[in-house]
Each structure stands twice: as structure tokens, then as C-alpha cells.
Amino acid sequence: MEPDELDEVYRIEAESFDQPYPRWYLDLLYGLSGGEYFLVSQGSEGRITGYIIGIPLSSGACHIASIAVEKRCRRRGVGTALLQSLVEVCSSRGYSSFVLEVEAGNYPAQSLYARSSFKPVMIVPDYYGEGRHAVVMALLGERPCCLDG
Ligand SMILES: CC(C)(COP(=O)(O)OP(=O)(O)OC[C@H]1O[C@@H](n2cnc3c(N)ncnc32)[C@H](O)[C@@H]1OP(=O)(O)O)[C@@H](O)C(=O)NCCC(=O)NCCS
């Protein structure tokens, strides 16, 4: 992912969420990801079709801050490929545990994560607003205790 591709990422973010991250926040996440954990997928014509943002934590886990696929490209394995690519890149650098929040009613995303062996670990009430709870899901690697920190 190159910084000049962030406008394209924002286009997908804006069409994917009812409360999208502001454009400036994507810049911040790009910095926090160190660039190398901010991955994009490209269609055959080079257009960006999806992205995933991993934020490495000092505890040795990786927080997945966001993932989205362009609406017209969904259900073709792009989300799975992004998630598995991030897990591979992070694992090769020593980040073997992953954690994320997903809205309780977002069954497509929960199914995507479950198919990659993520397990629900807790509910955070009202995380996305009143009555909109988050499910925290995690994929625990060799150092599962690292999520405590
Ligand atoms: C969640 C999202 C990233 C999935 O991307 P995708 O490219 O469509 O995912 P995949 O094609 O790899 O699907 C993998 C599995 O996820 C599940 N899934 C994906 N979309 C689904 C849907 N609309 N309904 C039910 N299950 C779904 C299925 O189990 C699917 O496997 P299958 O197609 O073999 O049945 C995409 O729907 C998206 O961008 N949603 C909006 C943003 C969002 O909610 N992000 C997650 C924030 S926590």
C-alpha cells in the first residue's frame, strides 16, 4: 500500500460503513501500521478493490482496525485473501495473535473471521453507539497471554 492510494481506500471505507473513518484517520492508521501492515487488493485493471489495516501492538498482538471490500467485488474471496495475507505477513514478523471488533449484527464479517479460525472472546456493550454492541474476536497464536497487555 502506498500513501497515494489512501483516497481509493477512503472511497471503499465510505461505501462500506454507515460511520466511516474520516479521511484523516486513515492517514493516522497508515502511520500506525508502519505501512507494511496496511494491505490492499487490486482488480485485474489495477483498481483497488479492498483493504485491511493491521496495527502491531507492543504486546506482540496485531489489532485489525478495519477491513472492507468494494461492494461489487464481494463474495469472491477477496476479504478472505486480505485477512489471510495480513495473518501471514504479521506471523512472519512475530505477531501471531490477532484481535478485532465487529458489530454484533454484522454476520457476513463474523462469518469471514470464523472461517479463518477467529473466536468470539467478549461483548463490548454500545461500542458503536446505543444498542450497537461489539463482539471482540481473536485468533490466538503461540503467545495468547499477550492480549492481556
Ligand atoms: C466483510 C467483508 C470484508 C467480506 O469480504 P468478501 O470479499 O465478500 O469476503 P469473502 O468473499 O472472502 O467471503 C468469505 C466468507 O465470509 C462470509 N460472508 C461474506 N459475505 C457474506 C454475506 N453477505 N452473507 C453471509 N456470509 C458472508 C461467507 O462465509 C464467505 O464464504 P463463502 O462465500 O464461501 O460462503 C465485506 O462484506 C465488506 O467489506 N463488508 C463491509 C465492511 C465490513 O463490515 N467490514 C468488517 C468490519 S468488522
Side-chain angles (χ1 to χ4, degrees), residues 70-144:
E70 194 177 33
K71 276 185 181 164
R72 60 176 159 162
C73 295
R74 288 180 191 164
R75 228 47 208 272
R76 296 185 202 164
V78 175
T80 301
L82 284 164
L83 185 59
Q84 291 181 352
S85 296
L86 181 68
V87 168
E88 280 170 27
V89 169
C90 287
S91 298
S92 71
R93 292 164 169 78
Y95 297 98
S96 59
S97 292
F98 300 83
V99 63
L100 56 84
E101 300 84 33
V102 54
E103 187 159 357
N106 190 347
Y107 301 114
Q110 287 178 45
S111 173
L112 165 72
Y113 303 135
R115 284 168 58 103
S116 290
S117 302
F118 281 70
K119 310 280 186 222
V121 291
M122 64 182 284
I123 302 283
V124 183
D126 301 326
Y127 182 88
Y128 295 102
E130 194 175 344
R132 297 178 62 180
H133 312 320
V135 180
V136 177
M137 296 185 75
L139 175 64
L140 301 181
E142 294 159 11
R143 299 170 51 207

